[in-house]
């Protein structure tokens, strides 16, 4: 079973920040939080990952709460091309495979 | 640079036929993964290779499914005597090393439809 809970869908206006929440209340100390997205008819695309500190790259920012039980993926200026299903995944440092995926959040960017 | 490629992109098979799905990982990537994705769901792990060694095949749904990576590069997922429930998108991913936090890069997938 997936270890994360995400809302099934969200809307966001083009140009605004899209904030996608993820609950991972049972996360353990050796588990990372990963975010991938999947645009329609394409393979999943890696976005970002983190352990306990906030992370930022050219695509997004990842904010992890201090107790690590939840996180938020932030797309700072959403475009229509960001419409996709976004998956939040927890992955143990002791496992080099086994990404366990939930159903994700369908993010729709509206003009 | 070139990413993970998969072929064919679409495959239609009659029930009972055998199919072979190919994955070309990113050059030099040690780890290779196969996932199965049913419509409207997240991918599910099938099997994992480190170079030519198949280290985990626990996700293969039945003995009709077989995967190989004989030279540690290209991989083939074979499904024998296909059934309608095998209809799904089959995704291949590769990662540079076998480290626990190494990023997996995915191909576009092969959509298999079994009639």
């Amino acid at each position: 079973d997936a270890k994360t809970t995400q809302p099934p869908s969200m809307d966001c206006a083009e140009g605004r920040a899209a904030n996608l929440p993820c609950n991972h209340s049972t996360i353990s100390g050796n588990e990372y939080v990963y975010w991938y997205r999947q645009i329609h008819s394409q393979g999943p695309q890696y976005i970002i990952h983190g352990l306990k500190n906030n992370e930022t790259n050219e695509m997004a920012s990842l904010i992890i709460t201090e107790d690590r039980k939840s996180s938020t993926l932030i797309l700072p200026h959403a475009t229509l091309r960001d419409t996709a299903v976004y998956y939040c995944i927890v992955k143990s440092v002791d496992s080099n495979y086994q990404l366990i995926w939930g159903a994700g959040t369908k993010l729709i960017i509206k003009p | 640079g070139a990413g993970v490629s998969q072929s064919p992109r679409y495959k239609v098979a009659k029930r009972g036929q055998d199919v072979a799905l190919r994955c070309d990982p990113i050059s030099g990537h040690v780890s290779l993964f196969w996932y199965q994705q049913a419509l409207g769901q997240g991918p599910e792990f099938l099997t994992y290779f480190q170079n030519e060694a198949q280290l985990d095949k626990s996700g293969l749904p039945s003995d009709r499914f077989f995967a190989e990576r004989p030279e540690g590069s290209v991989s083939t997922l074979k499904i024998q005597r296909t059934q309608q429930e095998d209809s799904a998108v089959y995704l291949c991913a590769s990662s540079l090393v076998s480290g626990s936090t190494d990023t997996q890069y995915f191909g576009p997938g092969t959509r298999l439809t079994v009639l």
Side-chain angles (χ1 to χ4, degrees):
Chain A
D1 292 334
K3 298 181 180 181
T4 61
T5 304
Q6 299 176 255
S9 65
M10 292 181 62
D11 292 345
C12 179
E14 188 179 18
R16 296 292 188 112
N19 296 277
L20 293 97
C22 180
N23 182 290
H24 32 78
S25 58
T26 61
I27 195 170
S28 59
N30 65 348
E31 289 182 321
Y32 281 73
V33 179
Y34 277 74
W35 283 84
Y36 279 77
R37 73 180 183 184
Q38 189 170 25
I39 296 169
H40 183 62
S41 295
Q42 296 184 22
Q45 176 189 23
Y46 166 79
I47 301 173
I48 199 167
H49 74 280
L51 184 61
K52 54 182 178 181
N53 297 323
N54 297 336
E55 302 289 343
T56 295
N57 62 21
E58 65 278 4
M59 289 184 67
S61 294
L62 173 60
I63 308 299
I64 302 174
T65 57
E66 192 168 342
D67 63 7
R68 301 187 68 240
K69 293 185 176 182
S70 65
S71 61
T72 301
L73 179 74
I74 301 173
L75 308 178
H77 304 287
T79 72
L80 298 178
R81 289 178 295 181
D82 291 323
T83 292
V85 178
Y86 286 77
Y87 295 96
C88 169
I89 302 163
V90 294
K91 182 173 180 292
S92 171
V93 298
D94 298 323
S95 169
N96 55 14
Y97 47 90
Q98 289 281 7
L99 289 176
I100 300 175
W101 307 67
T105 296
K106 172 68 173 176
L107 175 67
I108 299 173
I109 306 301
K110 297 188 172 182
Chain B
V4 178
S5 61
Q6 293 185 245
S7 61
R9 288 293 314 277
Y10 303 91
K11 177 68 177 178
V12 178
K14 293 183 179 179
R15 190 172 56 182
Q17 280 185 330
D18 297 348
V19 298
L21 312 180
R22 178 187 169 106
C23 172
D24 286 81
I26 295 172
S27 178
H29 276 200
V30 167
S31 297
L32 186 143
F33 310 81
W34 284 97
Y35 292 85
Q36 180 190 58
Q37 187 173 25
L39 189 64
Q41 298 182 22
E44 291 193 4
F45 170 81
L46 293 177
T47 187
Y48 161 65
F49 289 86
Q50 184 175 320
N51 295 308
E52 69 278 3
Q54 188 174 21
L55 298 187
D56 188 344
K57 54 182 180 179
S58 63
L60 296 176
S62 78
D63 58 7
R64 296 186 295 104
F65 286 71
F66 172 77
E68 60 183 4
R69 193 186 185 199
E71 297 179 358
S73 177
V74 171
S75 178
T76 303
L77 176 67
K78 298 180 179 178
I79 309 173
Q80 297 177 323
R81 304 180 304 281
T82 53
Q83 304 294 315
Q84 285 188 322
E85 60 263 28
D86 299 336
S87 295
V89 175
Y90 290 86
L91 295 163
C92 176
S94 69
S95 65
L96 181 58
V97 293
S98 58
S100 58
T101 61
D102 200 39
T103 300
Q104 295 182 24
Y105 296 92
F106 284 79
T110 294
R111 181 177 296 278
L112 173 65
T113 303
V114 181
L115 303 177

